[in-house]
């Protein structure tokens, strides 16, 4: 597994910081962030976001919060993921 580091939120002191990587082989975004509080998790888990799609948060998933100030980093990560995905298509 190869992770390409894209960026980190340097505005948070102490342990840990929201971070974004791109996993090169799958072109997936990998995010580290603050786990959502109970209220946000409840709203996400109890809302039918897509008609007919099951509600709730599966045990293997988490709701995380990424600060808005990291939008430029997320855009850069999306661009890197698109390039990685295009590279995979060119090889096939």
């Amino acid at each position: 597994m190869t992770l390409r580091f894209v960026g980190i939120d340097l505005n948070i002191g102490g342990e840990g910081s929201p971070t974004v990587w791109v996993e090169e082989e799958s072109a997936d975004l990998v995010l580290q962030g603050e786990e959502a509080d109970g209220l946000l998790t409840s709203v996400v888990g109890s809302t039918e976001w897509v008609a007919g799609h099951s509600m709730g948060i599966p045990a293997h998933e988490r709701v995380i919060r990424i600060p808005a100030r990291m939008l430029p980093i997320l855009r850069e990560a999306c661009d890197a993921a698109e390039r990685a995905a295009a590279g995979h298509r060119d090889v096939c």
Side-chain angles (χ1 to χ4, degrees):
M1 173 184 299
T2 305
L3 290 176
R4 176 190 302 185
F5 171 79
V6 178
I8 190 168
D9 182 3
L10 297 174
N11 292 332
I12 295 180
E15 294 182 20
S17 291
T19 308
V20 180
W21 301 266
V22 173
E23 199 270 302
E24 293 286 339
E25 290 76 17
S26 66
D28 289 345
L29 295 182
V30 178
L31 305 173
Q32 174 184 323
E34 178 183 342
E35 190 167 0
D37 63 26
L39 176 59
L40 180 56
T41 300
S42 176
V43 169
V44 169
S46 65
T47 303
E48 185 179 35
W49 298 101
V50 177
H53 193 276
S54 61
M55 295 186 339
I57 302 166
H60 67 281
E61 295 182 357
R62 298 289 178 270
V63 176
I64 64 169
R65 182 183 291 271
I66 300 293
R69 65 182 165 268
M70 291 187 67
L71 287 173
I73 293 170
L74 288 172
R75 284 188 191 99
E76 182 181 341
C78 289
D79 291 344
E82 284 181 339
R83 287 190 301 272
H88 295 306
R89 285 190 300 268
D90 292 341
V91 171
C92 297

